[in-house]
Amino acid sequence: MANKILEKRVLRSDLFYFRIEAPELAKKAKAGQFVVVRADDNGERIPLSLANIDPDRGTISLLVQTIGVTSTKLSTLSVGDEIKDIAGPMGHKTPIEKYGRVILVGGGFGAAPLYPIGRAMKEAGNTVISITGARSADLLVYEKELGEFSDKVLISTDDGSKGHKGLVTEVLKNEIEANGADLVIAVGPAIMMKFASLTTKPYNVKTLVSLNPIMVDGTGMCGACRVSVGGKTMFGCTDGPDFDGHLVDWDLLMSRQRTYLVEEKEAMEAYTCSCAPHS
Ligand code: NAD
Ligand code: FES
């Protein structure tokens, strides 16, 4: 059986962790790349970041947030089930080299894709500082995992239930002012990556962001994932997912994401209606 689910964990009511048997993918994939997943034969294809790559065990890990029809179908799968289609690895790997002091900034479950990236950065000889934030302590994910390789893990929560009360960008600013940084990598909601980039700009710290625009084919053919970076049109799937955060047109990216969310909400309502028992 291909793509068999070996482990499933519920991280939050809307967020599921899957470890999947995928030896070929685990051999080829590098930190920062992503996969495109289909839940069934007629399903749409959704991009998912790799939350772990384990070539020794022949497994990959994915986090699925239930925001649309496909992610909701995926969330109902159990250990032993097969995921219909996992294509990849897609996109470019994150450039791993010795930069010096690398700060990882994860917003919400954006912390998960930072796990393979941070581990690779540590193996390359960097000092790695991880900053992860969520609305409240119960929504924090991957704090323990980031601690496996980080020299320091800093937490923020919007409501102050754990760590710094406020946003990850405030912790980022404090950390840069106190200790400096040679590279920042931010993954999370677009608004957080925008403000992380605005935070680092005055300090002239190179900032990579992992963009998650709308994707359809994931192969550079359809143009759905186009983003504007430094005034040039680029494709999230084939040119990304990592881009220079100081050059991204954030307003364009966020307006396209909003359109997608409205369409997904409508599709979800139609899906729920057709699944509901008819009297
Ligand atoms: P969330 O909306 O609760 O935000 C998490 C944290 O981000 C907040 O606690 C805060 O510290 C920070 N943040 C939010 N708005 C901010 C702002 N305006 N300025 C500064 N910081 C801000 O996160 P969630 O609900 O867990 O959602 C995770 C998001 O991460 C989703 O939007 C998902 O699409 C995205 N994500 C992206 C990737 C990727 O590869 N790019 C991968 C996984 C998840
Ligand atoms: Fe179609 Fe990128 S998803 S071009």
Side-chain angles (χ1 to χ4, degrees):
M1 185 190 273
N3 308 326
K4 187 174 162 188
I5 297 171
L6 302 178
E7 189 183 343
K8 177 184 183 183
R9 279 189 272 137
V10 183
L11 303 184
R12 308 187 319 210
S13 57
D14 64 339
L15 190 63
F16 300 82
Y17 167 94
F18 292 99
R19 189 166 62 81
I20 300 147
E21 188 174 61
E24 284 307 310
L25 250 169
K27 217 187 292 166
K28 284 192 219 144
K30 298 283 179 235
Q33 291 186 295
F34 64 96
V35 293
V36 172
V37 174
R38 244 179 0 141
D40 54 41
D41 280 331
N42 305 316
E44 54 168 355
R45 295 151 56 85
I46 59 163
L48 293 175
S49 304
L50 289 162
N52 196 14
I53 306 158
D54 191 337
D56 296 336
R57 289 204 285 182
T59 64
I60 58 162
S61 302
L62 303 173
L63 258 56
V64 177
Q65 186 189 30
T66 51
I67 49 165
V69 175
T70 300
S71 52
T72 302
K73 281 183 192 166
L74 287 170
S75 72
T76 63
L77 297 176
S78 308
V79 169
D81 289 344
E82 179 189 3
I83 296 183
K84 178 69 197 164
D85 219 17
I86 305 182
M90 304 278 192
H92 294 281
K93 60 184 183 180
T94 298
I96 304 293
E97 55 186 84
K98 187 163 178 185
Y99 296 93
R101 191 175 177 83
V102 176
I103 304 183
L104 311 175
V105 191
F109 72 94
L114 285 171
Y115 178 69
I117 295 171
R119 211 176 44 188
M121 285 293 184
K122 188 69 196 171
E123 282 165 10
N126 294 287
T127 298
V128 178
I129 310 300
S130 294
I131 301 172
T132 176
R135 276 163 278 151
S136 55
D138 55 318
L139 299 178
L140 280 166
V141 297
Y142 265 58
E143 179 189 348
K144 187 167 74 52
E145 286 82 350
L146 294 172
E148 288 172 20
F149 54 77
S150 301
D151 294 86
K152 186 160 72 174
V153 180
L154 300 168
I155 304 292
S156 75
T157 49
D158 301 11
D159 66 358
S161 47
K162 190 163 186 184
H164 169 84
K165 183 178 190 305
L167 304 171
V168 280
T169 43
E170 294 159 13
V171 182
L172 173 63
K173 185 172 192 298
N174 294 343
E175 182 60 23
I176 293 177
E177 288 201 340
N179 301 307
D182 297 298
L183 177 72
V184 168
I185 305 180
V187 185
I191 187 78
M192 167 255 162
M193 294 191 282
K194 170 182 175 173
F195 282 100
S197 304
L198 289 173
T199 301
T200 58
K201 188 124 190 0
Y203 302 96
N204 207 17
V205 177
K206 185 178 165 70
T207 302
L208 293 177
V209 293
S210 175
L211 296 191
N212 55 342
I214 309 150
M215 288 193 194
V216 177
D217 63 344
T219 61
M221 304 291 283
C222 70
C225 66
R226 65 188 178 279
V227 288
S228 177
V229 182
K232 285 195 198 131
T233 296
M234 303 196 112
F235 290 164
C237 65
T238 48
D239 298 316
D242 293 348
F243 292 98
D244 181 337
H246 297 153
L247 300 179
V248 171
D249 182 335
W250 292 103
D251 295 337
L252 181 67
L253 176 77
M254 286 188 281
S255 77
R256 288 175 57 78
Q257 281 181 335
R258 271 192 295 274
T259 312
Y260 169 77
L261 285 174
V262 170
E263 284 169 8
E264 271 300 295
K265 188 167 173 282
E266 285 167 4
M268 198 58 193
E269 280 162 6
Y271 171 68
T272 314
C273 270
S274 62
C275 288
H278 296 282
S279 52

